[in-house]
Amino acid sequence: MIFLFDCVRDGESFIALNEKNEEVGYLLFQKNFSSIGIVNSVTFYQGSVNLGFLLTTIFNLYGPIVYNTYNVSEKGNSLLVKMLKSFGFQDLYTEEGIKLEQVFMKKQL
């Protein structure tokens, strides 16, 4: 698993620990602020294990604001995508009905 923490400006993470104080899960996210400094949305990037607890913790911390994801493909993050959908997150589509997905492009010189 590649962690994007260093790539997310002002990114934060919640780390779940078991009773032995061992790491058993994480959720990488970024808070977005309004012009007056109030959290108005949260963007989720990566996560694993105990996601329901971690997501519920964030929802309880910030309340009824916009929650979204960025660069979370089902292929590499199926557990996170499944959990987000169980919390009511929905896929987005273009006006033409094409599902929006992460795009990777490369040019060989």
Side-chain angles (χ1 to χ4, degrees), residues 30 32 41-45 66-70 72 84 89:
Q30 178 186 50
N32 306 293
S41 70
V42 173
T43 302
F44 299 112
Y45 289 90
V66 175
Y67 295 94
N68 54 60
T69 64
Y70 181 75
V72 177
L84 290 169
F89 283 72

Side-chain angles (χ1 to χ4, degrees), residues 54-71:
L54 297 172
L55 289 169
T56 300
T57 299
I58 289 181
F59 296 151
N60 288 334
L61 278 174
Y62 302 112
I65 60 172
V66 175
Y67 295 94
N68 54 60
T69 64
Y70 181 75
N71 280 347

